[in-house]
Amino acid sequence: MVEFAINASMSETTEYALFELNSGYMPSMIKELRSDEVIHKGIKDFMQTALTNLANAHDAIIKAHVFQMRQANDCRSSKPDIAKGSLVYLSTKNLNLPKGRSNDALFPNRAMPGPYDFSAADDQEWFVDDLLGHRWNKQGHLEFEVRWSLGDTTWEPLASCKDLAALDRYLVLQGMKCLQQLA
């Protein structure tokens, strides 16, 4: 049933369903009643319909490709003007420096958080990285989804979050001035 629905749905790019392109016709889910008096289409008509559909789909794909290419080219910026001594941002994602060549002065603040210490006391204080969302619980109290410095997330009540700088940033990002405006 799902496969039939996928093959019967019309593609936005080709403007045809897969059934039409592959078979030349759109089958019906309801079994058609046919009598012996029904005259079937000739093979030539069938092939012509299938070829016409494929040609139209091909033209639609080319049209969509040209449109997408034109849109992509319109959004491109001109070549940046970089002169010797200019400051530029450098992505270090795929940068592979030989050992001893990395310099903390060139790449500051790249320290990664240390591994979790299972022997740490339960009352140890953890740092809040960010507030990711909010909700009102069944009792009507406001809770915030907190991302902690170790990467895990938990839902915390307003009482635990009311003095956080992350709460101020969250309100600004939500476009709110006070907690009562959060829906």
Side-chain angles (χ1 to χ4, degrees), residues 23-43:
S23 306
Y25 72 99
M26 280 294 291
S28 174
M29 289 209 42
I30 301 171
K31 186 175 181 177
E32 297 176 11
L33 298 175
R34 297 186 180 187
S35 66
D36 293 336
E37 299 172 10
V38 175
I39 300 171
H40 298 284
K41 290 182 178 181
I43 294 174

PDB file of all heavy atoms in Angstrom, residues 23-43:
ATOM      1  N   SER A  23       5.295   2.976 -16.624  1.00  0.00           N
ATOM      2  CA  SER A  23       4.292   2.122 -17.257  1.00  0.00           C
ATOM      3  C   SER A  23       3.509   2.815 -18.357  1.00  0.00           C
ATOM      4  O   SER A  23       2.878   2.164 -19.171  1.00  0.00           O
ATOM      5  CB  SER A  23       3.290   1.623 -16.208  1.00  0.00           C
ATOM      6  OG  SER A  23       3.964   1.008 -15.146  1.00  0.00           O
ATOM      7  N   GLY A  24       3.486   4.125 -18.346  1.00  0.00           N
ATOM      8  CA  GLY A  24       2.736   4.848 -19.354  1.00  0.00           C
ATOM      9  C   GLY A  24       1.291   5.109 -18.970  1.00  0.00           C
ATOM     10  O   GLY A  24       0.537   5.680 -19.740  1.00  0.00           O
ATOM     11  N   TYR A  25       0.873   4.685 -17.787  1.00  0.00           N
ATOM     12  CA  TYR A  25      -0.499   4.931 -17.335  1.00  0.00           C
ATOM     13  C   TYR A  25      -0.516   4.965 -15.815  1.00  0.00           C
ATOM     14  O   TYR A  25       0.423   4.544 -15.154  1.00  0.00           O
ATOM     15  CB  TYR A  25      -1.445   3.848 -17.853  1.00  0.00           C
ATOM     16  CG  TYR A  25      -1.268   2.508 -17.179  1.00  0.00           C
ATOM     17  CD1 TYR A  25      -2.113   2.115 -16.146  1.00  0.00           C
ATOM     18  CD2 TYR A  25      -0.258   1.644 -17.562  1.00  0.00           C
ATOM     19  CE1 TYR A  25      -1.936   0.895 -15.525  1.00  0.00           C
ATOM     20  CE2 TYR A  25      -0.081   0.431 -16.951  1.00  0.00           C
ATOM     21  CZ  TYR A  25      -0.921   0.056 -15.926  1.00  0.00           C
ATOM     22  OH  TYR A  25      -0.750  -1.143 -15.310  1.00  0.00           O
ATOM     23  N   MET A  26      -1.614   5.482 -15.274  1.00  0.00           N
ATOM     24  CA  MET A  26      -1.807   5.537 -13.822  1.00  0.00           C
ATOM     25  C   MET A  26      -2.789   4.457 -13.426  1.00  0.00           C
ATOM     26  O   MET A  26      -3.966   4.517 -13.776  1.00  0.00           O
ATOM     27  CB  MET A  26      -2.366   6.893 -13.387  1.00  0.00           C
ATOM     28  CG  MET A  26      -1.334   7.979 -13.284  1.00  0.00           C
ATOM     29  SD  MET A  26      -0.140   7.701 -11.995  1.00  0.00           S
ATOM     30  CE  MET A  26      -1.130   7.910 -10.547  1.00  0.00           C
ATOM     31  N   PRO A  27      -2.341   3.414 -12.703  1.00  0.00           N
ATOM     32  CA  PRO A  27      -3.269   2.366 -12.279  1.00  0.00           C
ATOM     33  C   PRO A  27      -4.203   2.879 -11.189  1.00  0.00           C
ATOM     34  O   PRO A  27      -3.900   3.839 -10.492  1.00  0.00           O
ATOM     35  CB  PRO A  27      -2.343   1.270 -11.747  1.00  0.00           C
ATOM     36  CG  PRO A  27      -1.110   1.979 -11.341  1.00  0.00           C
ATOM     37  CD  PRO A  27      -0.980   3.163 -12.264  1.00  0.00           C
ATOM     38  N   SER A  28      -5.332   2.231 -11.069  1.00  0.00           N
ATOM     39  CA  SER A  28      -6.311   2.581 -10.055  1.00  0.00           C
ATOM     40  C   SER A  28      -6.257   1.551  -8.938  1.00  0.00           C
ATOM     41  O   SER A  28      -5.990   0.381  -9.175  1.00  0.00           O
ATOM     42  CB  SER A  28      -7.712   2.597 -10.669  1.00  0.00           C
ATOM     43  OG  SER A  28      -8.678   2.802  -9.678  1.00  0.00           O
ATOM     44  N   MET A  29      -6.515   1.982  -7.711  1.00  0.00           N
ATOM     45  CA  MET A  29      -6.531   1.039  -6.599  1.00  0.00           C
ATOM     46  C   MET A  29      -7.812   0.210  -6.628  1.00  0.00           C
ATOM     47  O   MET A  29      -7.870  -0.871  -6.071  1.00  0.00           O
ATOM     48  CB  MET A  29      -6.415   1.770  -5.261  1.00  0.00           C
ATOM     49  CG  MET A  29      -5.044   2.320  -5.069  1.00  0.00           C
ATOM     50  SD  MET A  29      -4.494   2.478  -3.393  1.00  0.00           S
ATOM     51  CE  MET A  29      -5.002   1.050  -2.547  1.00  0.00           C
ATOM     52  N   ILE A  30      -8.842   0.736  -7.271  1.00  0.00           N
ATOM     53  CA  ILE A  30     -10.104   0.007  -7.376  1.00  0.00           C
ATOM     54  C   ILE A  30     -10.023  -0.844  -8.637  1.00  0.00           C
ATOM     55  O   ILE A  30      -9.716  -0.350  -9.715  1.00  0.00           O
ATOM     56  CB  ILE A  30     -11.286   0.992  -7.453  1.00  0.00           C
ATOM     57  CG1 ILE A  30     -11.307   1.872  -6.210  1.00  0.00           C
ATOM     58  CG2 ILE A  30     -12.581   0.237  -7.631  1.00  0.00           C
ATOM     59  CD1 ILE A  30     -12.299   3.000  -6.294  1.00  0.00           C
ATOM     60  N   LYS A  31     -10.316  -2.119  -8.496  1.00  0.00           N
ATOM     61  CA  LYS A  31     -10.244  -3.009  -9.647  1.00  0.00           C
ATOM     62  C   LYS A  31     -11.306  -2.598 -10.652  1.00  0.00           C
ATOM     63  O   LYS A  31     -12.471  -2.440 -10.327  1.00  0.00           O
ATOM     64  CB  LYS A  31     -10.455  -4.448  -9.197  1.00  0.00           C
ATOM     65  CG  LYS A  31     -10.255  -5.437 -10.308  1.00  0.00           C
ATOM     66  CD  LYS A  31     -10.343  -6.860  -9.798  1.00  0.00           C
ATOM     67  CE  LYS A  31     -10.107  -7.792 -10.959  1.00  0.00           C
ATOM     68  NZ  LYS A  31     -10.098  -9.170 -10.557  1.00  0.00           N
ATOM     69  N   GLU A  32     -10.837  -2.388 -11.867  1.00  0.00           N
ATOM     70  CA  GLU A  32     -11.757  -1.949 -12.906  1.00  0.00           C
ATOM     71  C   GLU A  32     -12.511  -3.151 -13.474  1.00  0.00           C
ATOM     72  O   GLU A  32     -11.936  -4.215 -13.701  1.00  0.00           O
ATOM     73  CB  GLU A  32     -10.982  -1.256 -14.020  1.00  0.00           C
ATOM     74  CG  GLU A  32     -10.293   0.006 -13.546  1.00  0.00           C
ATOM     75  CD  GLU A  32      -9.448   0.628 -14.647  1.00  0.00           C
ATOM     76  OE1 GLU A  32      -9.547   0.209 -15.811  1.00  0.00           O
ATOM     77  OE2 GLU A  32      -8.690   1.538 -14.319  1.00  0.00           O
ATOM     78  N   LEU A  33     -13.790  -2.958 -13.698  1.00  0.00           N
ATOM     79  CA  LEU A  33     -14.596  -4.002 -14.323  1.00  0.00           C
ATOM     80  C   LEU A  33     -14.503  -3.812 -15.828  1.00  0.00           C
ATOM     81  O   LEU A  33     -14.752  -2.732 -16.349  1.00  0.00           O
ATOM     82  CB  LEU A  33     -16.052  -3.897 -13.853  1.00  0.00           C
ATOM     83  CG  LEU A  33     -16.268  -4.085 -12.356  1.00  0.00           C
ATOM     84  CD1 LEU A  33     -17.719  -3.849 -12.009  1.00  0.00           C
ATOM     85  CD2 LEU A  33     -15.860  -5.496 -11.960  1.00  0.00           C
ATOM     86  N   ARG A  34     -14.130  -4.849 -16.512  1.00  0.00           N
ATOM     87  CA  ARG A  34     -14.003  -4.771 -17.971  1.00  0.00           C
ATOM     88  C   ARG A  34     -14.851  -5.861 -18.595  1.00  0.00           C
ATOM     89  O   ARG A  34     -14.981  -6.952 -18.063  1.00  0.00           O
ATOM     90  CB  ARG A  34     -12.553  -4.957 -18.388  1.00  0.00           C
ATOM     91  CG  ARG A  34     -11.662  -3.866 -17.868  1.00  0.00           C
ATOM     92  CD  ARG A  34     -10.287  -3.989 -18.417  1.00  0.00           C
ATOM     93  NE  ARG A  34      -9.477  -2.911 -17.868  1.00  0.00           N
ATOM     94  CZ  ARG A  34      -8.264  -2.653 -18.237  1.00  0.00           C
ATOM     95  NH1 ARG A  34      -7.690  -3.377 -19.152  1.00  0.00           N
ATOM     96  NH2 ARG A  34      -7.608  -1.658 -17.705  1.00  0.00           N
ATOM     97  N   SER A  35     -15.395  -5.530 -19.699  1.00  0.00           N
ATOM     98  CA  SER A  35     -16.157  -6.542 -20.436  1.00  0.00           C
ATOM     99  C   SER A  35     -15.380  -6.912 -21.695  1.00  0.00           C
ATOM    100  O   SER A  35     -14.375  -6.304 -22.026  1.00  0.00           O
ATOM    101  CB  SER A  35     -17.541  -5.996 -20.789  1.00  0.00           C
ATOM    102  OG  SER A  35     -17.399  -4.933 -21.706  1.00  0.00           O
ATOM    103  N   ASP A  36     -15.859  -7.890 -22.389  1.00  0.00           N
ATOM    104  CA  ASP A  36     -15.178  -8.325 -23.605  1.00  0.00           C
ATOM    105  C   ASP A  36     -15.310  -7.309 -24.724  1.00  0.00           C
ATOM    106  O   ASP A  36     -14.590  -7.358 -25.711  1.00  0.00           O
ATOM    107  CB  ASP A  36     -15.743  -9.667 -24.077  1.00  0.00           C
ATOM    108  CG  ASP A  36     -15.407 -10.778 -23.094  1.00  0.00           C
ATOM    109  OD1 ASP A  36     -14.411 -10.619 -22.356  1.00  0.00           O
ATOM    110  OD2 ASP A  36     -16.134 -11.787 -23.069  1.00  0.00           O
ATOM    111  N   GLU A  37     -16.259  -6.365 -24.585  1.00  0.00           N
ATOM    112  CA  GLU A  37     -16.480  -5.395 -25.640  1.00  0.00           C
ATOM    113  C   GLU A  37     -15.500  -4.238 -25.591  1.00  0.00           C
ATOM    114  O   GLU A  37     -15.444  -3.428 -26.503  1.00  0.00           O
ATOM    115  CB  GLU A  37     -17.913  -4.854 -25.539  1.00  0.00           C
ATOM    116  CG  GLU A  37     -18.956  -5.937 -25.712  1.00  0.00           C
ATOM    117  CD  GLU A  37     -20.343  -5.417 -25.412  1.00  0.00           C
ATOM    118  OE1 GLU A  37     -20.504  -4.191 -25.258  1.00  0.00           O
ATOM    119  OE2 GLU A  37     -21.267  -6.218 -25.333  1.00  0.00           O
ATOM    120  N   VAL A  38     -14.703  -4.125 -24.497  1.00  0.00           N
ATOM    121  CA  VAL A  38     -13.748  -3.031 -24.377  1.00  0.00           C
ATOM    122  C   VAL A  38     -12.607  -3.252 -25.359  1.00  0.00           C
ATOM    123  O   VAL A  38     -12.024  -4.321 -25.422  1.00  0.00           O
ATOM    124  CB  VAL A  38     -13.192  -2.945 -22.942  1.00  0.00           C
ATOM    125  CG1 VAL A  38     -12.121  -1.884 -22.850  1.00  0.00           C
ATOM    126  CG2 VAL A  38     -14.309  -2.672 -21.969  1.00  0.00           C
ATOM    127  N   ILE A  39     -12.297  -2.212 -26.116  1.00  0.00           N
ATOM    128  CA  ILE A  39     -11.201  -2.301 -27.080  1.00  0.00           C
ATOM    129  C   ILE A  39      -9.966  -1.705 -26.409  1.00  0.00           C
ATOM    130  O   ILE A  39      -9.968  -0.561 -25.973  1.00  0.00           O
ATOM    131  CB  ILE A  39     -11.540  -1.528 -28.368  1.00  0.00           C
ATOM    132  CG1 ILE A  39     -12.808  -2.116 -29.003  1.00  0.00           C
ATOM    133  CG2 ILE A  39     -10.375  -1.553 -29.325  1.00  0.00           C
ATOM    134  CD1 ILE A  39     -13.336  -1.302 -30.150  1.00  0.00           C
ATOM    135  N   HIS A  40      -8.905  -2.498 -26.350  1.00  0.00           N
ATOM    136  CA  HIS A  40      -7.678  -2.060 -25.699  1.00  0.00           C
ATOM    137  C   HIS A  40      -6.877  -1.146 -26.625  1.00  0.00           C
ATOM    138  O   HIS A  40      -6.941  -1.265 -27.844  1.00  0.00           O
ATOM    139  CB  HIS A  40      -6.826  -3.272 -25.322  1.00  0.00           C
ATOM    140  CG  HIS A  40      -7.512  -4.175 -24.336  1.00  0.00           C
ATOM    141  ND1 HIS A  40      -7.623  -3.868 -23.015  1.00  0.00           N
ATOM    142  CD2 HIS A  40      -8.138  -5.365 -24.513  1.00  0.00           C
ATOM    143  CE1 HIS A  40      -8.265  -4.833 -22.397  1.00  0.00           C
ATOM    144  NE2 HIS A  40      -8.608  -5.760 -23.288  1.00  0.00           N
ATOM    145  N   LYS A  41      -6.143  -0.245 -26.042  1.00  0.00           N
ATOM    146  CA  LYS A  41      -5.279   0.640 -26.834  1.00  0.00           C
ATOM    147  C   LYS A  41      -4.195  -0.204 -27.486  1.00  0.00           C
ATOM    148  O   LYS A  41      -3.740  -1.186 -26.932  1.00  0.00           O
ATOM    149  CB  LYS A  41      -4.619   1.687 -25.950  1.00  0.00           C
ATOM    150  CG  LYS A  41      -5.547   2.719 -25.411  1.00  0.00           C
ATOM    151  CD  LYS A  41      -4.754   3.723 -24.599  1.00  0.00           C
ATOM    152  CE  LYS A  41      -5.644   4.819 -24.078  1.00  0.00           C
ATOM    153  NZ  LYS A  41      -4.925   5.811 -23.315  1.00  0.00           N
ATOM    154  N   GLY A  42      -3.745   0.260 -28.621  1.00  0.00           N
ATOM    155  CA  GLY A  42      -2.691  -0.451 -29.343  1.00  0.00           C
ATOM    156  C   GLY A  42      -1.342  -0.240 -28.676  1.00  0.00           C
ATOM    157  O   GLY A  42      -1.139   0.703 -27.906  1.00  0.00           O
ATOM    158  N   ILE A  43      -0.448  -1.123 -28.967  1.00  0.00           N
ATOM    159  CA  ILE A  43       0.893  -1.024 -28.395  1.00  0.00           C
ATOM    160  C   ILE A  43       1.572   0.250 -28.852  1.00  0.00           C
ATOM    161  O   ILE A  43       2.290   0.907 -28.092  1.00  0.00           O
ATOM    162  CB  ILE A  43       1.736  -2.260 -28.801  1.00  0.00           C
ATOM    163  CG1 ILE A  43       1.149  -3.510 -28.165  1.00  0.00           C
ATOM    164  CG2 ILE A  43       3.186  -2.082 -28.416  1.00  0.00           C
ATOM    165  CD1 ILE A  43       1.816  -4.784 -28.615  1.00  0.00           C
TER     166      ILE A  43
END
